[in-house]
Structure formats: C-alpha cells, structure tokens
Amino acid sequence: MIKCSICGKDENSLIRVKHRKLGTIKLCFECWEVEIGNNNLLRDGFDCCK
C-alpha cells in the first residue's frame, strides 16, 4: 500500500500529479478533487501509480 502525500490514507492506487508547491506527489482521489479545485495542480499530465 502507498500513502497519499496529503492525508496519509493507505491506497492501492493513487494519482501521481505535479503540485504547485510540493512538486511531484501521489494523491488519493478525494485529495485530488480538493487540490484540483484549489488550482494547486499543474495540468501537464496525470497518471496512475502503484
């Protein structure tokens, strides 16, 4: 299991994103929704990681 970089929740599959302040991180879907809504994610690509 991998932990979300924001909330620390253990997940089997996370979304790897480029965060405006934190660089490349892995997020659960719930944190991704919040961060994308706050315009904290750079939109040059998202992919799944394990």
Side-chain angles (χ1 to χ4, degrees):
M1 295 275 242
I2 300 172
K3 292 188 178 196
C4 173
S5 296
I6 300 285
C7 70
K9 184 165 67 169
D10 283 331
E11 290 282 334
N12 285 327
S13 182
L14 298 173
I15 304 166
R16 186 178 349 184
V17 297
K18 289 186 181 177
H19 192 278
R20 192 171 302 282
K21 297 176 184 171
L22 303 174
T24 301
I25 59 172
K26 298 171 186 173
L27 299 178
C28 65
F29 184 72
E30 291 82 12
C31 288
W32 176 82
E33 285 183 308
V34 171
E35 294 300 313
I36 198 89
N38 290 335
N39 268 343
N40 287 330
L41 303 181
L42 304 175
R43 297 176 186 247
D44 64 341
F46 304 103
D47 62 320
C48 210
C49 58
K50 292 202 178 214

